[in-house]
Amino acid sequence: MNCQQAKPLIEPYADGELEAGAILELEQHLQSCSKCGLAWRNLQNLKKALKQDALCFTAPAELRRRIKAELPSPAKGVPQRPSWNWNWLTTLMSGAAAACLALLLAVTLTRPSSEQPLTQEIVSSHVRSLMANHMLDVVSTDQHTVKPWFNGKLDFSPPVKNLAEQGFPLTGGRLDYLGGRSVAALVFQRHKHIINLFIWPDKEKNSKPSLSASAQGYHVLYWSDGGMTFRAVSDLNEKELMEFARDFAAGDTVNP
């Protein structure tokens, strides 16, 4: 990440609005770039200064007196029995119902789905595998070597397929951790682009590959098949990543 890419991300990072995949890259840049690091520290100092009590002021008593003087005096006299206006009451109830519906809709639309945190974990794991030189535990282009390697390391047997003929050669696999459990990660390559395919058992119904999210240049696809759920992530363009997912879903599985 360079300074031009980092500058627009500093404010969302300070407000806690930056996605997990971009946080790792930005934090590394801030540590190595004194200019962007200074901008980050200045922004932190500004946020702290805006929260100081010295910036809060109490309205003067004269202003309070003038506002009270402008308010109408309460009517005096014998209280009368209220006369209900049913049209007014109906309108009020309809308005209240509409307001409740709008509030419920707003909460539903803004509430993060259960898939969103998992997608952030997937992108973060993908980025870490590229940055920390821990992409592969077993290095092999042979699916008959990769699949047995997982035996005894997971409580399930992940499907491993050979997609070299389709232009997505297998390079190996590793163990990873997502959503509170150990998962299998198969690593494929498309030219210079790395594809991480995460696999774990799930009770979801079979589904075709679909786009789960696109953020910071990464695409995440998901699908389910045969009691397994699949998440493919890469900076490869969406069209070719979808071709990979469809080829894997349709390819031959290596038997245990």
Side-chain angles (χ1 to χ4, degrees):
M1 178 177 292
N2 56 37
C3 294
Q4 186 177 2
Q5 296 170 323
K7 286 180 180 178
L9 303 180
I10 292 178
E11 288 192 13
Y13 176 53
D15 295 333
E17 299 174 352
L18 198 61
E19 295 188 357
I23 289 177
L24 294 172
E25 296 182 78
L26 180 60
E27 287 180 344
Q28 276 205 337
H29 178 78
L30 292 177
Q31 292 176 1
S32 60
C33 176
S34 58
K35 187 175 180 181
C36 291
L38 177 61
W40 161 241
R41 290 190 295 273
N42 288 341
L43 182 58
Q44 285 184 305
N45 292 334
L46 177 61
K47 291 172 68 71
K48 291 178 181 178
L50 291 175
K51 295 180 180 179
Q52 293 179 359
D53 294 337
L55 297 180
C56 298
F57 301 94
T58 303
E62 176 62 20
L63 177 60
R64 177 183 177 87
R65 186 192 63 77
R66 289 173 57 189
I67 293 175
K68 291 184 66 176
E70 293 293 334
L71 295 176
S73 302
K76 297 181 179 180
V78 179
Q80 298 181 352
R81 185 176 180 179
S83 177
W84 290 101
N85 186 328
W86 293 106
N87 291 333
W88 172 84
L89 182 60
T90 302
T91 302
L92 179 62
M93 293 179 66
S94 299
C100 291
L101 180 61
L103 179 60
L104 178 61
L105 181 61
V107 171
T108 302
L109 292 177
T110 55
R111 181 186 303 162
S113 66
S114 58
E115 184 70 19
Q116 184 176 354
L118 178 59
T119 298
Q120 292 177 347
E121 278 192 69
I122 289 170
V123 173
S124 296
S125 293
H126 176 72
V127 173
R128 281 196 301 271
S129 72
L130 302 177
M131 297 171 61
N133 292 325
H134 182 221
M135 186 182 301
L136 299 171
D137 290 330
V138 53
V139 181
S140 178
T141 59
D142 184 2
Q143 68 271 31
H144 297 281
T145 299
V146 175
K147 185 176 179 65
W149 181 87
F150 287 103
N151 292 343
K153 299 178 177 68
L154 295 169
D155 57 359
F156 65 97
S157 179
V160 181
K161 302 184 180 184
N162 182 4
L163 300 181
E165 293 183 0
Q166 292 86 344
F168 303 97
L170 175 71
T171 61
R174 70 177 185 280
L175 294 177
D176 214 307
Y177 194 81
L178 292 173
R181 66 158 299 143
S182 297
V183 303
L186 302 181
V187 183
F188 297 83
Q189 193 165 351
R190 176 71 162 183
H191 306 306
K192 295 184 179 181
H193 300 275
I194 298 298
I195 303 171
N196 269 297
L197 178 61
F198 299 100
I199 307 171
W200 65 92
D202 204 309
K203 296 181 180 180
E204 294 183 10
K205 295 181 180 179
N206 290 356
S207 61
K208 296 181 179 179
S210 301
L211 180 66
S212 174
S214 295
Q216 303 297 327
Y218 297 102
H219 301 295
V220 180
L221 302 183
Y222 74 95
W223 71 95
S224 297
D225 185 38
M228 297 284 176
T229 188
F230 302 84
R231 298 293 191 280
V233 56
S234 177
D235 62 349
L236 187 65
N237 66 76
E238 183 183 339
K239 179 178 180 295
E240 290 184 278
L241 187 59
M242 185 64 74
E243 290 177 4
F244 161 79
R246 291 169 178 167
D247 288 340
F248 189 93
D252 295 328
T253 304
V254 177
N255 294 322

